[in-house]
């Protein structure tokens, strides 16, 4: 089959693009620890406050790392201040008591949507101790811009 040079150039260019796109996905997963949307775990948004999984909110630390349990609501996160250890895996478990919210830990790769009816979960490691701002990045109502929390990453003794 005779393929003209001009057409060959375009075929190779598109093949190269596909390889480049797949490479960015692989680098994102392996290099930046990007994760696909969390496991599918449902919850009744009307009863999140009394649900056993969210009855005890806050940070639990054990030998594997830390687990943070949070509820997002109009227009706050509960709890609003979180302390986690640096350099250890931290698993966040978040759900919404009302509408869709966002949960973004600014300047880190911690970022998820919080959809009512579901439990959003992700695990990340904070290497740099310090104070981080958590914001809601999904428009959720009139005071959306006030919805924030604080993450304090502490050095291990
Ligand atoms: Cu919650 Cu915007």
């Amino acid at each position: 089959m005779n393929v003209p040079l001009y057409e060959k150039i375009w075929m190779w260019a598109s093949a190269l693009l596909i390889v480049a796109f797949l490479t960015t996905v692989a680098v994102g997963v392996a290099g930046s620890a990007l994760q696909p949307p969390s496991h599918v775990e449902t919850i009744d948004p009307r009863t999140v406050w009394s649900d056993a999984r969210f009855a005890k909110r806050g940070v639990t630390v054990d030998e594997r790392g830390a687990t943070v349990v949070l509820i997002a609501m109009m227009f706050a996160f509960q709890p609003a201040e979180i302390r986690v250890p640096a350099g250890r895996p931290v698993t966040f478990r978040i759900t919404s008591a009302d509408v869709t919210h966002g949960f973004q830990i600014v300047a880190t790769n911690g970022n998820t949507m919080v959809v009512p009816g579901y439990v959003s979960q992700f695990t990340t490691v904070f290497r740099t101790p310090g104070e981080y701002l958590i914001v809601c990045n999904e428009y959720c109502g009139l005071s959306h811009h006030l919805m924030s929390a604080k993450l304090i990453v502490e050095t291990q003794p």
Side-chain angles (χ1 to χ4, degrees):
M1 186 173 69
N2 181 31
V3 181
L5 176 69
Y6 189 65
E7 206 166 317
K8 270 187 193 156
I9 291 171
W10 280 108
M11 281 163 63
W12 280 109
S14 27
L16 207 68
L17 263 183
I18 291 167
V19 171
F21 291 153
L22 290 176
T23 307
T24 59
V25 172
V27 168
V29 169
S32 309
L34 296 183
Q35 297 159 23
S38 68
H39 66 304
V40 178
E41 182 181 342
T42 56
I43 186 168
D44 185 344
R46 291 163 301 185
T47 58
V48 291
W49 295 102
S50 54
D51 190 290
R53 292 167 287 173
F54 285 87
K56 191 182 169 287
R57 292 170 296 280
V59 186
T60 316
V61 182
D62 61 20
E63 64 284 351
R64 290 189 307 273
T67 305
V68 184
V69 175
L70 276 148
I71 293 179
M73 68 196 134
M74 289 188 277
F75 297 97
F77 295 102
Q78 216 290 313
E81 191 180 299
I82 307 155
R83 287 172 184 273
V84 296
R88 309 268 313 272
V90 180
T91 299
F92 288 86
R93 287 176 53 75
I94 317 156
T95 193
S96 169
D98 38 52
V99 299
T100 298
H101 296 281
F103 182 87
Q104 180 179 5
I105 309 165
V106 178
T108 72
N109 69 347
N111 187 356
T112 185
M113 256 176 118
V114 184
V115 181
Y118 294 90
V119 177
S120 302
Q121 180 176 310
F122 67 89
T123 302
T124 189
V125 177
F126 302 101
R127 307 227 174 262
T128 317
E131 250 186 59
Y132 294 83
L133 174 69
I134 298 171
V135 293
C136 173
N137 59 9
E138 295 282 341
Y139 183 74
C140 52
L142 278 182
S143 297
H144 156 73
H145 60 288
L146 299 176
M147 188 168 170
S148 69
K150 195 198 283 181
L151 174 78
I152 299 158
V153 177
E154 297 175 316
T155 326
Q156 286 302 89

